[in-house]
Amino acid sequence: FGQGGPEGGVWTTYSTITDLQYHHILVPMLYVDYNLTVAELTRDEDTSLQGHTTVVLENAMSGGDSPSMVGYIGMDSVISIPACDQSNFKLFHTIPNLENNWGYAGELQKWIPVSTARTRSVSVISDEIIAELSGTSNETIDVTFVHADGKSAPVMSSVRCNFPASGLVQATPKGCTPL
């Protein structure tokens, strides 16, 4: 991040699914608290925040029992990252919420919960969000969706998907349908 940047390691990457970008922030060691700006997060010319609203969550991989919501961010926002080390490292993800206030958070038990290896597309039809997923026959996964209106606290909803022989399912907050 250059001069004035974090004192320690703050690594970012992103996944793009159906023109939606999911940012992933790994902080293995940070000597002092740091406010990561959205401008820093999206500094590459091919990155941006997308969606009606964007939710940030801290992944359970970084020491908690379950993922926790950090809150909403916009172009003028910061993500406050506390000092940490290898024993309590931090892992954050952004979730673009669409015009119907739903966002796809993916497999939160993974380091990168939304990836092109699993998620083929994310779309909205009326008031429903649909994620088309690929896997192997008889594989079972849990995926999470987030409902967030930008005002009240975001709510997570998880569903379990069992892949049929075709290896394809459509997931919604209500469940999974084989394709």
Side-chain angles (χ1 to χ4, degrees):
F1 294 105
Q3 188 174 19
E7 293 182 36
V10 177
W11 304 333
T12 64
T13 190
Y14 63 92
S15 305
T16 302
I17 309 291
T18 318
D19 297 328
L20 296 172
Q21 287 186 347
Y22 296 81
H23 295 268
H24 314 287
I25 306 153
L26 175 62
V27 186
M29 180 173 284
L30 191 61
Y31 297 105
V32 295
D33 296 354
Y34 186 72
N35 288 326
L36 177 68
T37 66
V38 171
E40 290 170 318
L41 183 63
T42 60
R43 71 184 184 279
D44 295 335
E45 68 180 53
D46 60 343
T47 62
S48 65
L49 281 186
Q50 297 162 327
H52 179 62
T53 58
T54 300
V55 174
V56 176
L57 65 83
E58 183 175 353
N59 199 309
M61 297 288 250
S62 57
D65 293 330
S66 62
S68 61
M69 294 293 173
V70 173
Y72 298 98
I73 60 170
M75 289 310 295
D76 297 327
S77 300
V78 298
I79 300 170
S80 297
I81 304 173
C84 60
D85 61 26
Q86 295 95 336
S87 66
N88 66 344
F89 68 91
K90 303 299 176 194
L91 179 60
F92 300 94
H93 305 287
T94 66
I95 303 160
N97 275 39
L98 304 175
E99 61 271 7
N100 66 355
N101 297 326
W102 280 102
Y104 174 68
E107 296 175 87
L108 295 180
Q109 67 277 18
K110 292 193 173 182
W111 288 90
I112 303 292
V114 178
S115 71
T116 57
R118 173 75 72 198
T119 309
R120 297 167 59 105
S121 67
V122 176
S123 59
V124 171
I125 297 177
S126 185
D127 64 341
E128 189 157 67
I129 185 169
I130 299 169
E132 187 174 311
L133 310 174
S134 60
T136 59
S137 180
N138 296 317
E139 181 181 11
T140 300
I141 62 168
D142 294 317
V143 294
T144 301
F145 295 87
V146 175
H147 188 267
D149 61 11
K151 299 172 191 148
S152 55
V155 176
M156 289 189 283
S157 173
S158 295
V159 296
R160 180 159 285 170
C161 298
N162 298 304
F163 287 94
S166 69
L168 298 173
V169 298
Q170 275 189 342
T172 72
K174 297 174 186 173
C176 291
T177 305
L179 295 178

